[in-house]
Amino acid sequence: KSSLARHYAYCVLIVHSFSWLHYIVFMLVTLFFCLFCLLFQQYPGMNQLSSSLGGLSLQSSPQPESLRPVDLTQERNILPTTPVWAPVPNLNVDLKKLNCSPDSFRCTLTNIPQTQALLNKAKLPLGLLLHPFRDLTQLPVITSNTIVRCRSCRTYINPFVSFIDQRRWKCNLCYRVNDVPEEFMYNPLTRSYGEPHKRPEVQNSTVEFIASSDYMLRPPQPAVYLFVLDVSHNAVEAGYLTILCQSLLENLDKLPGDSRTRIGFMTFDSTIHFYNLQEGLSQPQMLIVSDIDDVFLPTPDSLLVNLYESKELIKDLLNALPSMFTNTRETHSALGPALQAAFKLMSPTGGRVSVFQTQLPSLGAGLLQSREDPNQRSSTKVVQHLGPATDFYKKLALDCSGQQTAVDLFLLSSQYSDLASLACVSKYSAGCIYYYPSFHYTHNPSQAEKLQKDLKRYLTRKIGFEAVMRIRCTKGLSMHTFHGNFFVRSTDLLSLANINPDAGFAVQLSIEENLTDTSLVCFQTALLYTSSKGERRIRVHTLCLPVVSSLADVYAGVDVQAAICLLANMAVDRSISSSLSDARDALVNAVVDSLSAYGSTVSNLQHSALVAPSSLKLFPLYVLALLKQKAFRTGTSTRLDDRVYAMCQIKCQPLVHLMKMIHPNLYRIDRLTDEGAIHVNDRVVPQPPLQKLSAEKLTREGAFLMDCGSTYLPELDTLSSERARSFITWLRDNRPLSPVLHVVKDESPAKTEFFQHLIEDRTEAAFSYYEFLLHIQQQICK
C-alpha cells in the first residue's frame, strides 16, 4: 500500500504540466491502475484475478446442490439413506410459507420453463400429481355467503392473487382485475374490517368452502351403500363372506353418513337375489329374479333401507349370509345382470356400489372367456389382452357416472378373471379396485388378513358423493391428458361420482404461449362434493411456481419422483394403446433423452462419462425399477391379472404410495437402536437407514424388512421385538391398502418374490443397475 501511495504522488506531480482535460483523463487512468495494483497484490495469479472479478457479477451465484454433476457409472451408491423429499420451489420466504403442500399437489418441474421450446430442449415431462381429498388434520373451513372468484376464469381467490388496493384484486391465473365484495372486507377471524388480504382464503393455499345452493343441481344426496355379492360355489369355497359380514357388523355404526344413510344388499350366482329389509318385518326376505336377460327390481321401495331404522334386520342378514349358500352347486356367475340391477336400484339417488367377485362372469350380459395363455405371457415382449374384451363394463360405468353412482370392485380370485375387462366398471365410474390373488379364507391367511384390514379402512374412511373436480392453470399453460379413475366431462372437468381420501390423479401439461411476461405461474384444483353428512363443499388447493428462462434452472427444479410417477401413468396408456414393448422403450428413451440433453449443457464433459445433475441422479434407478415392476416387466412369471392390477394401481395411487410400489424401501431391522428415533404419540419409532435394493446388502444372520406399500410378528417381551413392532406399526399407518407382513426365511419359496424387488441386481430377462447405466451410456453415444 505504501508503494501505491508513492506511485500516486508521482503521478500527481507530473500532471501539473498538463491541461485540465489531460488531467481528468490521467486521473481516471491512475485510479484504475491503483485498483488493478491493489487486486494484483491480493490475488497474484491471473486465474484467481479472473475468478475474483467474476464473483462481482450478479449472474454468478453459487451453483445449487441440485445442479452438482454426478458421474453415475462412478458414483454407484446414490440412494440416500433417508427418504427422498419433494424439492421446495425457489420462491421468496413469504410465498414458500403460503404454498400448497406437496402431499396434496406437486409438479414434475418446480421451475417452469418460459417456453415450450425450452421444455422440449430439457426433454423432461411436465405435469401435475394430485392427492386432492387426502385426510388432513388441519383444514380451514370457510362459511360465507360470498365465495370470491374471478369473474373471467372463475378461479377461487387464493394467497397468490395481488391486491391493487383494498377494493380490487388481480387474478393470478388470467390477470383480470376484480372488485372485492363488501362482505369480503370483514375478516371473521380477526373480527376486523378493511383488511381483505388477511382473510383465511388469502392466507391458506388449501381451504374448504361450505357451498351455497348455487353449487347444487339438486338437494344433497344421502349416503347410500349397496353391496353386491358373488355367492357361487367358487365364492363360498373361498370363504370371503365370513370376513365381509363380520367387518360390516363391526363397522356398521362407523359408516360415514347421517340419519338419512341408506343401505342395501344383493347376492348373485346364475340368478339375482334381492333382500327386503323394510322396517317392521320379522326377518329379512329374499326375492329371487331368475330372468337375467331382462333384469327388473321386484320391489323398488324396500331394497335400499334406512340404516338406523332397519339396523336389526341388517344385522340378522349379515349373521345369516355366510351360511346361507354353504351347500350351493351353482358354478355360474351373472355379474353383468347383477350390475344392471344395481344401476337401476341406485339411479334415483346415486351412491356407492361395492361388488365382490371371485371368477369370470359366465352368464348374461358382460360374460367373458379366458384370454390368458401362460405360455404366451411375455415370451417375446408381446403381452396381449391388456385392454378390455368387451365395452359392456365401460358403458355401464358411464351410465352409473351419469347417475352419480361409483362401483368399487373387490376381485378375490383363485384363477384368471379378466381384470382388464372388469376394471372398466370402476375406472370410468370413479370407483376403486381391490385385488386378492389366490384368495382363500383358510389356505391363504395373509390374504384373508389383508381383506379384513382393507375392509376396515374402506368402510370407515371419509367419502364424498356427486363430485366434480376442475383444474385451472395460469394463462399460457394448458392441460391435455388426465390419469386416474373418473369420466372426463369437458376439457378440464372430471366427473367423480365418489371421491375418497386414497385416490390420486395426474395430468400432463404443455406450454401454449410464452410465459415471458410473468415470473410466477399458478395451478388450482377445486373439488366440489357432497359430504356424507349432506353438506355441499368445495376443497381448493393452489400451487405457485417460478418461471425460468435457462436450461440449468429447469434441471435444478426437477422433482424426480413426480416425474417418474407421471411417466408411469403415461407408460400404462402406451402399453394399452400400442404395446408393452413400446412403453418400455419410451421409458428408456426418457432417461437417454434427458441425460443426453443435460450432457450437452455441461462443458469439458468426458465422452466416457454418464453424467446427471444431482436432481436427476435417481432417474435411471427409478426407471429401471419401473421396468422391473409387474406392470412393465418381461418374462413369463407375471400373470395377466397381476400385471393389469399393477397398471390400475399406477393410474390411481397418490404419489407417496405409488413410489413404494415402484421402488420399495429396504431396512435392516435386527440392529434397531433409539439413535435418531422419532416420537409418535407414546411410541418411540426407530429410523434405520435405507438400504439399496441389492443382495449384496443381505446377510444370513440379518433380518430385513422390505416396505413395498402393501406389506404378524410375535410379541416378545424384548427390546428388539418392541422396536421392530413399533417401526412396522409406524410404516403401516396412513396406508390406503393394509400392508400384510410376510416372514420370508432363507429356504422359503416366497424368497423368489422378495428377490424380484431387488432391482439393482440382474433379474429375469432384465439388466442390473450397472448394466442399465452402461446401456443408457451406449444409447447416448450412438
Side-chain angles (χ1 to χ4, degrees):
K1 290 182 180 177
S2 59
S3 174
L4 278 174
R6 285 196 300 273
H7 284 306
Y8 181 77
Y10 178 68
C11 293
V12 170
L13 288 172
I14 291 175
V15 86
H16 278 300
S17 60
F18 291 179
S19 68
W20 276 108
L21 180 61
H22 289 120
Y23 179 84
I24 293 169
V25 172
F26 195 84
M27 286 298 291
L28 289 173
V29 171
T30 304
L31 190 61
F32 181 79
F33 173 75
C34 292
L35 178 62
F36 179 86
C37 291
L38 184 62
L39 290 171
F40 188 80
Q41 278 195 325
Q42 289 179 333
Y43 305 102
M46 286 305 294
N47 288 337
Q48 290 173 310
L49 178 61
S50 298
S51 64
S52 172
L53 292 173
L56 299 175
S57 168
L58 296 176
Q59 300 298 318
S60 63
S61 56
Q63 186 182 55
E65 167 61 21
S66 57
L67 282 180
R68 178 178 63 85
V70 179
D71 188 338
L72 297 173
T73 55
Q74 297 300 316
E75 198 170 327
R76 295 286 308 283
N77 295 317
I78 60 166
L79 187 72
T81 58
T82 56
V84 177
W85 302 109
V88 179
N90 186 23
L91 301 167
N92 68 47
V93 176
D94 291 335
L95 291 182
K96 277 182 185 177
K97 289 179 182 176
L98 293 171
N99 217 355
C100 188
S101 165
D103 293 333
S104 298
F105 207 175
R106 58 202 274 190
C107 186
T108 58
L109 303 177
T110 59
N111 291 331
I112 302 298
Q114 205 171 59
T115 65
Q116 182 66 37
L118 183 59
L119 176 62
N120 293 342
K121 196 173 180 181
K123 303 290 185 182
L124 293 167
L126 177 59
L128 303 169
L129 282 298
L130 292 79
H131 190 180
F133 200 56
R134 72 185 185 95
D135 292 319
L136 294 171
T137 52
Q138 291 183 328
L139 175 64
V141 177
I142 298 163
T143 304
S144 175
N145 294 328
T146 304
I147 297 177
V148 180
R149 301 174 66 179
C150 174
R151 293 184 62 189
S152 178
C153 68
R154 307 302 293 154
T155 292
Y156 293 81
I157 198 167
N158 60 79
F160 310 107
V161 305
S162 52
F163 283 89
I164 296 172
D165 52 42
Q166 284 192 340
R167 293 291 179 179
R168 292 179 299 164
W169 63 278
K170 188 176 182 180
C171 176
N172 53 318
L173 266 62
C174 74
Y175 310 124
R176 176 184 175 126
V177 175
N178 296 272
D179 293 331
V180 176
E182 185 66 31
E183 184 185 348
F184 201 75
M185 297 294 288
Y186 175 74
N187 189 335
L189 293 182
T190 61
R191 296 185 178 182
S192 59
Y193 185 85
E195 295 180 317
H197 61 284
K198 292 185 179 180
R199 289 267 304 197
E201 301 97 313
V202 189
Q203 291 294 312
N204 297 277
S205 57
T206 292
V207 296
E208 188 152 283
F209 296 96
I210 306 295
S212 63
S213 58
D214 298 343
Y215 293 84
M216 304 176 197
L217 294 175
R218 62 176 185 177
Q221 70 165 78
V224 182
Y225 306 108
L226 176 64
F227 294 87
V228 180
L229 313 175
D230 179 358
V231 290
S232 63
H233 175 77
N234 195 63
V236 173
E237 169 63 21
Y240 83 89
L241 275 171
T242 301
I243 297 173
L244 171 61
C245 292
Q246 186 59 41
S247 295
L248 268 168
L249 284 166
E250 290 173 1
N251 295 291
L252 209 53
D253 292 331
K254 299 175 187 174
L255 289 175
D258 56 16
S259 60
R260 304 179 302 154
T261 301
R262 297 166 71 186
I263 193 169
F265 296 87
M266 291 167 48
T267 56
F268 66 96
D269 40 39
S270 61
T271 59
I272 303 172
H273 325 123
F274 298 87
Y275 296 88
N276 184 348
L277 300 168
Q278 196 68 38
E279 183 188 19
L281 293 174
S282 59
Q283 62 183 27
Q285 290 182 347
M286 179 192 283
L287 306 167
I288 300 175
V289 173
S290 56
D291 185 359
I292 59 172
D293 294 323
D294 186 17
V295 176
F296 64 93
L297 303 180
T299 166
D301 297 331
S302 58
L303 302 178
L304 285 172
V305 295
N306 184 284
L307 172 60
Y308 301 100
E309 293 173 358
S310 300
K311 185 177 288 185
E312 293 309 312
L313 284 172
I314 294 166
K315 288 181 177 179
D316 290 345
L317 178 63
L318 291 173
N319 282 314
L321 266 177
S323 58
M324 281 172 63
F325 300 92
T326 303
N327 299 317
T328 185
R329 295 184 179 181
E330 282 284 1
T331 57
H332 285 294
S333 168
L335 174 64
L339 287 171
Q340 289 175 326
F343 167 68
K344 290 185 176 184
L345 187 55
M346 296 292 282
S347 288
T349 56
R352 184 179 76 189
V353 177
S354 307
V355 177
F356 290 75
Q357 172 74 2
T358 66
Q359 60 181 332
L360 270 171
S362 56
L363 284 179
L367 70 87
L368 298 168
Q369 306 291 333
S370 179
R371 296 191 291 160
E372 182 179 46
D373 180 355
N375 297 319
Q376 298 296 323
R377 281 176 182 158
S378 184
S379 55
T380 57
K381 290 191 177 182
V382 177
V383 178
Q384 297 178 321
H385 310 309
L386 292 173
T390 171
D391 62 0
F392 170 81
Y393 293 97
K394 179 178 179 179
K395 285 183 175 178
L396 182 65
L398 296 180
D399 289 341
C400 287
S401 178
Q403 298 300 318
Q404 305 296 343
T405 301
V407 181
D408 296 337
L409 175 65
F410 288 76
L411 184 59
L412 307 109
S413 169
S414 58
Q415 56 204 7
Y416 173 71
S417 300
D418 198 352
L419 184 57
S421 297
L422 298 182
C424 292
V425 77
S426 298
K427 281 183 186 178
Y428 298 101
S429 68
C432 33
I433 301 162
Y434 296 82
Y435 175 54
Y436 305 87
S438 305
F439 179 88
H440 195 279
Y441 179 51
T442 54
H443 299 162
N444 194 343
S446 64
Q447 288 284 28
E449 179 193 357
K450 178 171 170 53
L451 174 62
Q452 183 181 23
K453 293 184 175 180
D454 285 350
L455 282 171
K456 181 177 180 181
R457 168 70 177 166
Y458 174 76
L459 295 171
T460 60
R461 71 186 177 189
K462 189 174 181 177
I463 186 170
F465 297 102
E466 47 189 353
V468 290
M469 182 168 69
R470 194 184 296 273
I471 306 168
R472 296 179 172 90
C473 53
T474 292
K475 184 180 178 182
L477 295 167
S478 68
M479 291 161 284
H480 59 84
T481 309
F482 296 92
H483 303 275
N485 289 357
F486 49 75
F487 170 60
V488 183
R489 191 176 292 177
S490 64
T491 53
D492 62 348
L493 186 69
L494 308 184
S495 176
L496 305 166
N498 289 178
I499 181 67
N500 70 78
D502 304 324
F505 304 88
V507 57
Q508 292 167 240
L509 298 168
S510 59
I511 304 169
E512 287 196 336
E513 300 174 19
N514 291 351
L515 303 170
T516 50
D517 295 332
T518 182
S519 60
L520 298 172
V521 295
C522 290
F523 307 92
Q524 187 178 86
T525 177
L527 176 69
L528 172 64
Y529 72 96
T530 298
S531 75
S532 58
K533 305 292 187 185
E535 282 185 323
R536 203 75 172 134
R537 291 185 168 223
I538 311 160
R539 186 172 297 189
V540 178
H541 306 279
T542 310
L543 174 66
C544 180
L545 297 174
V547 175
V548 296
S549 58
S550 77
L551 197 57
D553 287 337
V554 176
Y555 286 118
V558 178
D559 183 335
V560 67
Q561 292 193 336
I564 205 72
C565 289
L566 182 64
L567 285 173
N569 276 277
M570 295 163 65
V572 170
D573 286 356
R574 188 75 168 265
S575 299
I576 297 170
S577 64
S578 181
S579 70
L580 181 68
S581 179
D582 276 0
R584 288 173 56 85
D585 289 345
L587 288 170
V588 175
N589 289 338
V591 180
V592 172
D593 292 345
S594 60
L595 295 192
S596 178
Y598 170 75
S600 66
T601 69
V602 180
S603 58
N604 302 322
L605 180 63
Q606 293 183 1
H607 186 68
S608 60
L610 180 62
V611 176
S614 184
S615 60
L616 275 177
K617 68 181 181 181
L618 293 173
F619 194 35
L621 179 66
Y622 286 157
V623 166
L624 179 63
L626 258 185
L627 294 171
K628 295 186 177 185
Q629 218 273 338
K630 284 183 180 180
F632 305 113
R633 69 188 182 197
T634 56
T636 57
S637 66
T638 307
R639 300 192 308 176
L640 188 53
D641 279 345
D642 293 354
R643 187 184 298 278
V644 171
Y645 178 64
M647 290 181 170
C648 292
Q649 290 294 92
I650 286 171
K651 294 283 279 186
C652 65
Q653 284 279 300
L655 181 147
V656 65
H657 304 305
L658 180 51
M659 280 308 303
K660 292 285 197 313
M661 281 178 57
I662 294 171
H663 190 277
N665 290 335
L666 180 66
Y667 306 92
R668 182 164 184 171
I669 58 169
D670 60 312
R671 296 177 175 175
L672 294 178
T673 68
D674 288 342
E675 184 179 351
I678 61 174
H679 294 263
V680 180
N681 299 325
D682 58 344
R683 296 200 316 267
V684 176
V685 182
Q687 297 292 290
L690 289 171
Q691 310 283 334
K692 72 176 186 176
L693 296 175
S694 173
E696 71 179 60
K697 292 297 180 182
L698 307 180
T699 61
R700 284 185 173 273
E701 66 275 8
F704 297 84
L705 177 71
M706 184 178 286
D707 180 10
C708 303
S710 57
T711 320
Y712 150 76
L713 279 183
E715 294 193 17
L716 305 180
D717 190 17
T718 64
L719 183 58
S720 59
S721 174
E722 181 184 331
R723 283 172 174 161
R725 281 184 283 108
S726 178
F727 179 58
I728 291 169
T729 300
W730 176 72
L731 288 178
R732 281 175 159 172
D733 287 347
N734 303 315
R735 297 288 175 89
L737 298 175
S738 178
V740 173
L741 184 69
H742 297 275
V743 178
V744 182
K745 296 182 180 179
D746 194 37
E747 67 280 2
S748 168
K751 183 177 176 181
T752 303
E753 178 73 15
F754 179 87
F755 273 82
Q756 282 182 331
H757 290 292
L758 299 179
I759 58 96
E760 294 203 30
D761 299 338
R762 173 181 276 275
T763 54
E764 180 189 28
F767 288 129
S768 70
Y769 174 54
Y770 186 67
E771 290 170 333
F772 184 63
L773 291 178
L774 295 180
H775 175 70
I776 295 296
Q777 192 172 18
Q778 290 168 0
Q779 296 298 308
I780 292 175
C781 293
K782 275 186 177 179

